[in-house]
Amino acid sequence: MARSKPPRPRAHLSKDGVLHTAVALASRDGIESLTMRKLSDELGAGAMSLYHYVPNKEELIDGMVDIVFGEIELPSRNIDWKSALRWRAISTRHVLNRHRWAVGLMESRVTPGPASLRLHDAVLGCLREAGFSIEMTIQAYSVQDAYIYGFALQEKTTPFDDAEESAAVAEEQTRQFAELAEERQFASLAEEFPYLAEVVAGHVAKVGYDFATSFEYGLDLILDALEKRRDAS
Amino acid sequence: MARSKPPRPRAHLSKDGVLHTAVALASRDGIESLTMRKLSDELGAGAMSLYHYVPNKEELIDGMVDIVFGEIELPSRNIDWKSALRWRAISTRHVLNRHRWAVGLMESRVTPGPASLRLHDAVLGCLREAGFSIEMTIQAYSVQDAYIYGFALQEKTTPFDDAEESAAVAEEQTRQFAELAEERQFASLAEEFPYLAEVVAGHVAKVGYDFATSFEYGLDLILDALEKRRDAS
DNA sequence: AATCTACCCGTACACTGTACGAATTGCTAG
DNA sequence: CTAGCAATTCGTACAGTGTACGGGTAGATT
């Protein structure tokens, strides 16, 4: 009785709607499973309808990335520069954790969208107003963003979310390596990679590793160092 | 006269050969155009022959990534830790520049290969022997790698290689934005994003931007800050 | 009511990774 | 030297991808 072609009730689309459901889908199922057909299904439309709002998949992703940029909080103008930049960095990490698929794509797109431009401008402005020279502003910007996005990259595919889970994972991986070593005629982890063993099996497995704490440690290290360099010039 | 099926002279393959030509192909044409069929063509073999050496494309890429890890120079044991780590960082940047396709993939693979383990162990060892506590070693490792891979990410898709070219690109992009602003009823770059304009049009277009210099500036900033924190404990 | 324009989408095509199983090669044991 | 076998190569087929093309249909404008 199932008609093979129930005439669709006509979908009503918009560029914003397309982009936002695309983001939602990518964040839920991962970007590698985001398909023009799946996206259009989710919207109750035909696959080719999407092409009225987006010229191709590449530019669809550009749009998605700019939505993610838009979720990052701009550095506040009412507090000191270090706190402001600290907070926007933490905000960036949060957003990137919500949208892991975006991690390798944010900084490496060719054509930046408006939200991206707005954020970049705000960060540069924050540094300039804090008394950094143009040259130092560029450097400061570069270090911070490299760190932020690089850190997100490390976090992207880790199978744990907090310190406790990290300990469990470390233990599990250590065990797996031991198996693998036995299976072949390998040396043990401790013999072949003593320092790695010390850190993974000896420390993380016992104490755990917390990404949030680690991120802020490195962030403060960088911001403090930037301040010193500014004052020295 | 062209036979549609010249019986192939039988390819002689090996896992190493497959992996290395895959790396060469990806580095030349970009990873998005690396196809099982293209790879097998390059090797003078049929597409399905590859699957005798590699279970699937995902693990092929794992292998390729580990080859890239293998090209990174280990930190030397014969010099002070800061110089050693400085050099391995610079070496990493060079390698990643040779293999841009690998940039988002190095740190985010699930199963690390032997070269990756070796490098990680060596870096951790360098820090431990330099007197860092286990906790600080982990932090130091995290900051450095986040910075290195994040920086590589920024470099990944930039269309210039040195300071001169960067100036030309900055000028061109400024011009393009002006066009776009005129086309719609937009405000100009300088009005909408004043700080961005100052940096891009005002500075980079005139002086240029050199990635290598910038990278080392941030790298030294981080290494110096790490040393201070070590000495303070 | 007629026209037009913006929007929607079915079909088709080239290209992807890879499951399956058949063909061939080179080695090893008799 | 031969029989048999295991390792290796690969042709065919299939489901799934992005998207070019062109025909349709709804809603606004005259």
Side-chain angles (χ1 to χ4, degrees):
Chain A
M1 218 44 70
R3 291 157 298 170
S4 63
K5 288 195 190 167
R8 211 190 295 277
R10 188 170 187 92
H12 205 61
L13 305 178
S14 73
K15 179 157 186 179
D16 252 40
V18 169
L19 256 38
H20 275 93
T21 49
V23 167
L25 235 50
S27 299
R28 174 143 49 78
D29 306 335
I31 196 159
E32 70 286 339
S33 85
L34 176 68
T35 278
M36 297 307 262
R37 277 175 252 256
K38 282 208 199 109
L39 176 54
S40 63
D41 276 3
E42 187 78 14
L43 290 159
M48 291 313 290
S49 305
L50 302 177
Y51 287 89
H52 199 260
Y53 301 93
V54 159
N56 52 51
K57 194 178 185 183
E58 206 60 21
E59 296 210 19
L60 169 76
I61 293 177
D62 279 349
M64 294 166 63
V65 164
D66 209 53
I67 285 183
V68 176
F69 266 116
E71 290 185 15
I72 300 173
E73 289 187 33
L74 299 180
S76 164
R77 295 219 150 228
N78 306 319
I79 54 177
D80 65 301
W81 69 274
K82 225 162 41 158
S83 307
L85 290 181
R86 190 173 196 277
W87 176 242
R88 85 96 198 189
I90 290 174
S91 168
T92 305
R93 190 179 90 93
H94 283 151
V95 170
L96 254 35
N97 252 303
R98 238 194 337 269
H99 306 295
R100 303 213 164 182
W101 56 269
V103 168
L105 305 174
M106 303 283 289
E107 285 304 79
S108 61
R109 297 269 98 184
V110 265
T111 40
S116 163
L117 292 173
R118 196 155 37 235
L119 177 65
H120 285 217
D121 188 68
V123 172
L124 291 175
C126 189
L127 288 163
R128 289 293 282 143
E129 298 299 335
F132 285 89
S133 70
I134 296 199
E135 287 87 351
M136 262 222 74
T137 295
I138 298 177
Q139 299 296 354
Y141 187 83
S142 165
V143 197
Q144 277 180 86
D145 266 30
Y147 175 68
I148 296 170
Y149 290 103
F151 196 95
L153 209 56
Q154 296 180 333
E155 255 185 296
K156 183 176 180 180
T157 48
T158 46
F160 55 87
D161 281 324
D162 54 37
E164 279 176 55
E165 280 188 53
S166 80
V169 169
E171 205 162 3
E172 170 66 14
Q173 283 189 347
T174 307
R175 212 183 43 71
Q176 273 185 17
F177 192 95
E179 266 182 31
L180 190 111
E182 195 176 8
E183 190 175 312
R184 315 180 193 182
Q185 237 71 338
F186 260 21
S188 70
L189 175 65
E191 284 171 41
E192 189 103 34
F193 307 115
Y195 298 103
L196 206 53
E198 180 189 41
V199 164
V200 176
H203 187 78
V204 177
K206 292 190 179 62
V207 182
Y209 176 73
D210 182 39
F211 272 116
T213 311
S214 178
F215 179 70
E216 297 186 17
Y217 181 93
L219 179 61
D220 289 332
L221 180 142
I222 287 173
L223 291 175
D224 288 348
L226 284 173
E227 187 173 37
K228 289 227 180 66
R229 304 238 168 170
R230 181 201 57 177
D231 296 343
S233 62
Chain B
M1 218 47 71
R3 293 157 297 170
S4 63
K5 288 194 190 169
R8 214 189 295 277
R10 187 170 187 91
H12 205 61
L13 305 178
S14 73
K15 178 158 186 179
D16 253 39
V18 169
L19 256 37
H20 275 94
T21 49
V23 168
L25 235 51
S27 299
R28 175 143 48 79
D29 306 334
I31 198 159
E32 70 287 339
S33 84
L34 176 68
T35 278
M36 296 307 262
R37 277 174 253 255
K38 282 208 199 110
L39 176 54
S40 64
D41 275 3
E42 187 78 14
L43 290 159
M48 291 313 291
S49 305
L50 301 177
Y51 287 89
H52 199 259
Y53 299 96
V54 158
N56 52 51
K57 196 180 184 182
E58 206 60 19
E59 295 210 18
L60 169 76
I61 293 178
D62 279 347
M64 293 166 63
V65 164
D66 209 53
I67 286 182
V68 176
F69 266 116
E71 290 185 17
I72 299 172
E73 289 186 33
L74 298 181
S76 164
R77 297 219 149 227
N78 306 321
I79 54 178
D80 66 300
W81 69 274
K82 224 160 44 158
S83 307
L85 289 181
R86 189 173 197 277
W87 176 242
R88 86 94 200 191
I90 290 174
S91 167
T92 305
R93 189 178 90 94
H94 284 151
V95 170
L96 254 34
N97 252 305
R98 239 193 337 269
H99 306 296
R100 304 213 164 184
W101 56 269
V103 168
L105 306 173
M106 302 283 288
E107 285 301 80
S108 60
R109 297 268 99 183
V110 266
T111 42
S116 162
L117 293 173
R118 196 154 38 235
L119 177 63
H120 286 215
D121 188 68
V123 172
L124 291 175
C126 189
L127 288 163
R128 288 292 282 144
E129 298 300 335
F132 286 89
S133 70
I134 297 199
E135 286 88 351
M136 263 221 73
T137 295
I138 298 177
Q139 299 296 354
Y141 187 84
S142 165
V143 197
Q144 277 181 85
D145 266 30
Y147 175 68
I148 296 170
Y149 290 103
F151 196 95
L153 208 56
Q154 295 180 333
E155 254 184 298
K156 183 176 182 181
T157 47
T158 46
F160 56 87
D161 279 326
D162 53 38
E164 279 177 54
E165 280 187 55
S166 79
V169 168
E171 206 162 3
E172 169 67 12
Q173 284 189 347
T174 307
R175 212 180 44 68
Q176 273 185 18
F177 192 94
E179 265 181 31
L180 191 111
E182 196 176 8
E183 190 175 313
R184 314 179 195 186
Q185 237 71 338
F186 259 21
S188 70
L189 175 65
E191 285 171 41
E192 188 103 34
F193 308 115
Y195 299 103
L196 206 54
E198 181 189 41
V199 164
V200 176
H203 187 78
V204 177
K206 292 191 178 61
V207 182
Y209 177 72
D210 183 38
F211 272 116
T213 311
S214 178
F215 179 70
E216 297 186 17
Y217 180 92
L219 180 60
D220 289 332
L221 180 142
I222 288 173
L223 291 174
D224 288 349
L226 284 173
E227 187 172 36
K228 288 225 181 67
R229 304 240 167 168
R230 181 200 59 177
D231 296 342
S233 63

